[in-house]
Amino acid sequence: MKQIIKRTKAYYCVECGKCSGSCPVARVNEGFSPRVIVERALSGMKGEIEGDRELWTCLTCEACTTKCPSTVKFSEFIRGMRSSAFNSGYTSRCSQGGLLHSIQRVQSYRDIVQNRLQWISDDLKTSTEGEVLYFTGCLPYFENLFSGFVNPLEIARSTVKILNKAGISPVVSPNERCCGHDLLWTGNVETFQKLARLNIEMIKESGASRIVTSCPECLRTLKLDYADFFEGTDIEIVHISEFISSLIKNNDIKLNRAGIMTYQDPCRLGRHMGIYDAPREVIKSMGELVEMNKNREESSCCGVSAWATCEGNSKLMQIERLIEAKSTGADMLVTSCPKCLIHFRCAVHNQIPVEKEKVDIPVVDLTVAACRALAGE
Amino acid sequence: MTEFSPRIVAFCCNWCSYVGADLAGTSRLKYPDNIRIMRVMCSGQVFPSYILKALELGADGVLVAGCHIGDCHYVSGNKKAQERVETLLRVMKTLGLDPRRVRLEWISASEGMKFASTVKEFVEEIKELGPNLLGVR
């Protein structure tokens, strides 16, 4: 624990409480306080933190990290403590009964042969080797599980369509594995490393020098957490929103007007990676952007991360955010993370304590919206 | 080399299938001992994650057994079980796991015979499929 404190500069904490003040979880959950967790760690209460169920409640959305005057990296601190708790035998409280983590762990077996490319229809051009690789992430599994209320593979199809439009036939590999983001953030570092090695192998085999992803979590993981594994190989990793905005800037594609939109900053894309402008430029090129009160660094999280701890409080956060989105008067809420999409749609799909009219704003993925607005289609 | 002896986890509902298994026993019906029965209150409570976790931990097959449709002690728990298993089978196909490793059966309290024959059949099928590759790291 001392190492974790040192690495994340937790010893700089001055107990100002800005973290708890800005924390989206603390707003709805009285029992959760980032400040108290850090204080406990500083007074050496390792066992108490590891056994505390609130350890798994943190969304690692970094709302606190951007506010902290002492630059404590709180989400990394939580990640470290979770891995320490995992090694002591504690596990996260998973949503879906842990099914998604199971799926991700199974993918770490070298010998499995996945059928993850069923979504590629005849009108999409993909290849087995090339410059650009499209990292689909968990979208095929999301389709298996959540097709009742969202259409995750439409994101994958839209991405390939846009890449095709730019004259790129991306590599899409059947040997791709989960990036390991969720396991890493719930303490299972060993399996994360296995997944990382398998993915790096796949990427090297494909000969790609550029990876496009439509998921901010994959982006973060590949760019930051895989850095040690890439060992000097020079591979550029971009999020699809950056890619589309550069296409628009170069006049390679033109988007039709598609109405008034408001934008949800996914925590991984915004606060973790600092990408705020690219998706906004894409939205502005196809419609009017109205911001919610909380935007950019201030943006609220969609309520669940890494498939850990989906509970009543998560729903409250989602409903609050949806009400905020609806009150902007926008025609749709655009996000660029498949998980934000799933979580918001799930909240509306299930029984909620407010009237449906207050939250029934369509939630659309940025890539899907851009693909629909492609001129000349 | 000794013959492959599969390990099968069976989730049996408290009201029908577990009693069916009991009947098979009290009627002295023979069936292979490859099966480990777990009693659950309803087949509807068997989350997809339970089944996948069993496979992940090395089970060669998983049997989910509940009351016949329309006979569920909790009215419609078995319909839930059906939906859940179907969801899991979709996931298994994408993961490249053989969907034949998971079986959903309706076995009532009076069907001791059916329980014994289902287990026999399932064990034979799993023997043909061979060991679950997730079990051997």
Side-chain angles (χ1 to χ4, degrees):
Chain A
M1 190 164 76
K2 274 186 187 146
Q3 275 180 344
I4 300 168
I5 292 175
K6 208 170 163 190
R7 204 176 58 228
T8 59
K9 297 189 196 160
Y11 50 75
Y12 278 157
C13 175
V14 290
E15 294 186 50
C16 69
K18 277 198 176 179
C19 44
S20 301
S22 59
C23 176
V25 184
R27 210 165 50 229
V28 289
N29 178 355
E30 281 179 10
F32 181 79
S33 158
R35 184 181 63 89
V36 170
I37 297 179
V38 171
E39 284 323 304
R40 277 186 181 171
L42 291 175
S43 45
M45 297 159 79
K46 183 166 178 263
E48 276 83 350
I49 300 179
E50 286 183 353
D52 187 1
R53 53 183 261 145
E54 301 296 356
L55 177 62
W56 308 99
T57 317
C58 173
L59 297 166
T60 59
C61 71
E62 295 210 337
C64 49
T65 313
T66 54
K67 286 279 185 308
C68 181
S70 311
T71 61
V72 176
K73 294 175 189 158
F74 185 74
S75 52
E76 263 176 52
F77 169 80
I78 285 283
R79 193 169 95 182
M81 283 316 296
R82 282 181 183 175
S83 113
S84 149
F86 185 83
N87 293 335
S88 303
Y90 296 101
T91 47
S92 55
R93 293 179 290 142
C94 308
S95 53
Q96 318 295 327
L99 180 63
L100 282 139
H101 290 175
S102 237
I103 292 174
Q104 291 158 0
R105 284 195 301 267
V106 170
Q107 289 179 60
S108 72
Y109 287 81
R110 179 174 286 275
D111 300 335
I112 60 158
V113 186
Q114 300 173 78
N115 300 309
R116 53 154 57 233
L117 301 183
Q118 307 292 336
W119 53 273
I120 302 177
S121 44
D122 296 338
D123 56 327
L124 304 173
K125 281 188 255 88
T126 56
S127 40
T128 47
E129 269 181 20
E131 289 267 293
V132 181
L133 182 136
Y134 171 41
F135 198 89
T136 35
C138 293
L139 291 174
Y141 296 100
F142 293 164
E143 181 80 17
N144 289 155
L145 296 170
F146 306 115
S147 55
F149 55 89
V150 278
N151 208 341
L153 281 179
E154 202 184 342
I155 302 173
R157 287 192 203 100
S158 303
T159 308
V160 175
K161 242 180 227 170
I162 290 172
L163 289 170
N164 286 170
K165 194 88 180 173
I168 296 168
S169 160
V171 181
V172 185
S173 170
N175 289 325
E176 183 190 315
R177 316 282 167 131
C178 164
C179 67
H181 170 277
D182 299 347
L183 295 176
L184 179 67
W185 287 90
T186 48
N188 192 346
V189 180
E190 194 194 334
T191 314
F192 162 75
Q193 287 171 344
K194 268 184 206 155
L195 287 167
R197 282 191 204 103
L198 288 167
N199 273 326
I200 301 271
E201 219 171 85
M202 177 276 290
I203 292 165
K204 282 186 179 159
E205 262 170 34
S206 74
S209 59
R210 199 171 188 205
I211 301 172
V212 177
T213 148
S214 51
C215 174
E217 300 193 336
C218 296
L219 176 78
R220 194 219 126 93
T221 312
L222 291 172
K223 217 168 179 169
L224 302 182
D225 303 313
Y226 277 19
D228 299 340
F229 294 91
F230 273 122
E231 287 164 359
T233 37
D234 196 27
I235 292 180
E236 188 194 359
I237 299 150
V238 291
H239 186 255
I240 185 73
S241 62
E242 298 173 283
F243 187 83
I244 301 175
S245 86
S246 71
L247 285 181
I248 292 168
K249 259 183 217 152
N250 300 336
N251 275 326
D252 286 339
I253 55 167
K254 235 182 122 54
L255 301 180
N256 291 327
R257 306 301 280 177
I260 309 168
M261 300 169 187
T262 184
Y263 178 66
Q264 157 78 6
D265 283 282
C267 48
R268 264 58 185 167
L269 195 65
R271 283 183 292 262
H272 283 238
M273 301 305 297
I275 300 171
Y276 297 106
D277 294 320
R280 284 184 168 76
E281 276 155 21
V282 177
I283 291 176
K284 279 177 194 157
S285 72
M286 61 177 169
E288 192 188 326
L289 172 70
V290 280
E291 294 282 5
M292 288 184 264
N293 273 339
K294 296 198 185 91
N295 60 60
R296 301 176 79 99
E297 290 91 346
E298 310 278 330
S299 172
S300 332
C301 177
C302 67
V304 184
S305 88
W307 301 113
T309 321
C310 175
E311 52 182 20
N313 291 329
S314 325
K315 295 279 164 261
L316 285 179
M317 283 181 252
Q318 286 151 7
I319 290 165
E320 206 174 280
R321 190 62 168 165
L322 283 167
I323 291 175
E324 199 183 342
K326 179 90 182 174
S327 67
T328 58
D331 300 328
M332 59 180 106
L333 170 60
V334 178
T335 175
S336 41
C337 176
K339 286 188 185 172
C340 289
L341 176 76
I342 291 169
H343 296 145
F344 284 135
R345 292 297 304 151
C346 173
V348 182
H349 186 71
N350 287 316
Q351 285 187 335
I352 44 172
V354 293
E355 291 148 45
K356 286 250 167 168
E357 295 83 63
K358 283 188 181 163
V359 292
D360 66 342
I361 180 167
V363 190
V364 188
D365 185 86
L366 182 76
T367 322
V368 174
C371 184
R372 284 183 193 154
L374 270 181
E377 283 281 314
Chain B
M1 213 181 113
T2 50
E3 200 198 350
F4 163 56
S5 161
R7 282 175 301 180
I8 294 171
V9 174
F11 294 101
C12 292
C13 89
N14 179 55
W15 305 100
C16 292
S17 309
Y18 192 81
V19 186
D22 231 7
L23 181 64
T26 45
S27 320
R28 294 173 174 269
L29 295 173
K30 272 189 188 163
Y31 62 85
D33 63 355
N34 303 71
I35 198 151
R36 274 82 163 158
I37 299 179
M38 302 249 269
R39 178 161 67 161
V40 290
M41 286 311 284
C42 179
S43 55
Q45 79 169 96
V46 181
F47 282 112
S49 56
Y50 294 5
I51 305 173
L52 192 59
K53 187 143 192 191
L55 293 171
E56 203 191 321
L57 295 177
D60 298 303
V62 178
L63 172 70
V64 181
C67 312
H68 285 269
I69 294 287
D71 269 352
C72 177
H73 188 79
Y74 306 102
V75 186
S76 59
N78 45 12
K79 282 189 184 150
K80 215 170 239 174
Q82 200 166 22
E83 272 172 35
R84 287 186 163 154
V85 170
E86 276 164 16
T87 306
L88 179 77
L89 291 181
R90 283 202 297 271
V91 171
M92 283 177 69
K93 272 179 208 154
T94 316
L95 271 176
L97 303 175
D98 199 317
R100 282 175 294 179
R101 292 196 187 275
V102 175
R103 204 181 247 225
L104 178 68
E105 292 282 349
W106 310 132
I107 299 168
S108 83
S110 61
E111 291 176 327
M113 287 282 270
K114 185 174 176 187
F115 184 83
S117 64
T118 303
V119 173
K120 245 181 247 167
E121 219 181 279
F122 195 29
V123 170
E124 284 310 313
E125 195 175 2
I126 298 290
K127 271 185 184 164
E128 265 169 46
L129 289 178
N132 173 13
L133 113 152
L134 301 183
V136 273
R137 269 251 178 194

